[in-house]
Amino acid sequence: MNKSALGVLVLRVLGAAMTYVFVVFLARFMSVDDFGYIGAVFSASLLLSVFASFGQQQALVRYIPALRNDQNTSGIHAFVAQSLKVVTISNLVMWACLCIGLFAASAANLVDNVSVLALGLLIVPLTAFVDFLAYLVRAHKGVLLAVMPKDILWRLISLAILAVVFFSNGRQDLPLTFVFGVLVAVLALIIVTTALLAPTLYGTPTIYQILKRQTGEFDRSEWSKSNIPFSVTSVASVVFASVDVVIVAILLGPGIAGLYFAANRIAQAPGFFQQSYNVVSGPIFAEHAATGDHDALAVAAQNATAFTFIPTIVTCAILAFFAEPILSLFGPDFVAVRPTLFVLLATALANVFFGQSDLLLTMCKLEKSAMKISLWSTILGVIFIVTGAILADELGAAIGTFVSVVIRKVWFWRVATQQLNIWCDVISTVETVFKKERNSGRAN
């Protein structure tokens, strides 16, 4: 698993580098207010696409490995077709509702640029489709197409197009409509290309196999019962990465949202280590849980913590030390959010300290417990972030994010220790390593 995780990590690092290059140049190519709209739409698209997909991404990782072990190819085709139907219908309905809301707000003189924002919000269903394909590849133990299309290629191709236009147009600010149009068109192209390549590289179902009449069988009852828990936990997993930007945009305006968005994106860099391991550890957790191999499950969970914590804390320290020059890459105005960046880096560290307890519950048939924790911690998180933003602007929103993440992770960790008897926090992992070394020394 470590080799696969390292492969994902390399792609994640490239994706992170591409993300920051993309964000920095985009901030230079646009006005601060337009950049704030981009940040809000990006964050909203991540949250809303997951919300409208009803947990189907996690369902793919949870159920397809078992169907593959049973060599139930027709069942995989039927399962993927059913999941894709849910994702397609719900996300298109979501986009239509968002457009209706925009036009209603425009009629009340609450929102400008309605048609532009409606175009940008197409990123919501398109993000859902590209994520669906990524999780489908991940369930088949693929790496390249699980990470590269959205994290690297989408930003790289879009940035290249925008840069050519920006520099050929005398370095004038790019119109918001044009930027959204490029992002939507390139993402659609990425989706089609990924859908055509995945069957050849990883054996995923082809478009024809998904669209044709299905005769295969899978456990529809278990799948339908898990949809709501998976949906809640999926939404919660992205709320802490995106809802703070949306709240700042709503309460404090697009200008401050643009500043906060930059700090938020920088602070997400340390999380790529854990996210990389999640890509390969999710199916592994599900397989060990299905076979009842508790020892292998505990080892896999602690390996994930050991692999991710040290590089995470080192990255946080580097980013904190060079906070001012890094923020200045976005522009001189962005240096003002350095204290906010410090708090968000502490949040990233807290998120890794307690291990992958949330993923463990979801992959080990405890999705109802995960749902309850996710639901209440999400509600508390929104309350803390809103309160913080009202009391102390963007710094208060960051503090609210930190508090909500700590509460959520401690809660997941506690339930994992009680119901699974697995301790995957940093301290427990270090103790296990020392015990193994002492036992090895005595044996020698």
Side-chain angles (χ1 to χ4, degrees), residues 42-62:
F42 267 44
S43 300
S45 67
L46 176 63
L47 177 62
L48 295 175
S49 64
V50 173
F51 175 78
S53 296
F54 291 104
Q56 294 311 300
Q57 293 96 331
Q58 289 189 345
L60 292 171
V61 177
R62 168 77 175 273

Side-chain angles (χ1 to χ4, degrees), residues 259-278:
L259 301 177
Y260 186 91
F261 179 64
N264 177 276
R265 283 298 176 264
I266 294 171
Q268 286 186 8
F272 279 103
F273 296 100
Q274 187 177 72
Q275 293 171 12
S276 301
Y277 221 89
N278 285 349

Side-chain angles (χ1 to χ4, degrees), residues 113-388:
N113 301 324
V114 174
S115 59
V116 177
L117 292 176
L119 172 63
L121 286 173
L122 276 174
I123 294 175
V124 172
L126 292 178
T127 298
F129 293 142
V130 75
D131 285 343
F132 182 90
L133 289 171
Y135 275 81
L136 179 60
V137 169
R138 177 179 166 186
H140 286 76
K141 298 186 177 180
V143 171
L144 188 65
L145 291 185
V147 179
M148 182 173 285
K150 186 176 77 170
D151 289 356
I152 300 176
L153 294 180
W154 181 33
R155 292 170 173 84
L156 177 61
I157 297 172
S158 298
L159 182 60
I161 296 172
L162 295 174
V164 169
V165 175
F166 177 76
F167 288 108
S168 64
N169 195 35
R171 299 189 178 186
Q172 297 294 319
D173 287 345
L174 295 177
L176 186 61
T177 305
F178 177 74
V179 175
F180 274 141
V182 170
L183 293 172
V184 167
V186 173
L187 186 54
L189 178 62
I190 291 292
I191 291 170
V192 174
T193 304
T194 303
L196 294 175
L197 290 177
T200 301
L201 295 178
Y202 304 111
T204 63
T206 64
I207 297 175
Y208 171 75
Q209 290 169 334
I210 295 174
L211 296 179
K212 74 176 184 178
R213 179 181 178 83
Q214 300 297 329
T215 58
E217 292 295 332
F218 63 94
D219 194 337
R220 295 177 182 270
S221 175
E222 183 178 356
W223 169 75
S224 61
K225 289 178 181 178
S226 66
N227 280 342
I228 292 179
F230 281 158
S231 179
V232 173
T233 54
S234 295
V235 171
S237 68
V238 300
V239 159
F240 297 104
S242 59
V243 75
D244 52 339
V245 178
V246 177
I247 290 174
V248 170
I250 293 173
L251 296 181
L252 305 178
I256 295 180
L259 301 177
Y260 186 91
F261 179 64
N264 177 276
R265 283 298 176 264
I266 294 171
Q268 286 186 8
F272 279 103
F273 296 100
Q274 187 177 72
Q275 293 171 12
S276 301
Y277 221 89
N278 285 349
V279 172
V280 294
S281 62
I284 299 298
F285 290 168
E287 289 179 5
H288 290 325
T291 59
D293 194 341
H294 178 271
D295 291 341
L297 183 61
V299 169
Q302 290 197 337
N303 283 345
T305 302
F307 182 85
T308 58
F309 181 72
I310 293 177
T312 298
I313 193 172
V314 170
T315 304
C316 285
I318 293 173
L319 291 175
F321 186 80
F322 293 103
E324 184 170 343
I326 292 174
L327 285 167
S328 65
L329 293 174
F330 293 82
D333 295 337
F334 290 84
V335 178
V337 293
R338 186 173 61 171
T340 299
L341 176 58
F342 292 156
V343 176
L344 293 176
L345 288 172
T347 302
L349 193 60
N351 193 49
V352 178
F353 183 85
F354 295 98
Q356 296 176 309
S357 50
D358 45 356
L359 183 63
L360 272 171
L361 295 186
T362 304
M363 293 292 108
C364 296
K365 301 180 181 181
L366 294 173
E367 60 269 9
K368 290 185 178 180
S369 296
M371 176 185 68
K372 293 177 182 178
I373 298 171
S374 300
L375 178 61
W376 287 109
S377 63
T378 299
I379 294 172
L380 289 174
V382 171
I383 293 173
F384 286 136
I385 296 170
V386 169
T387 302

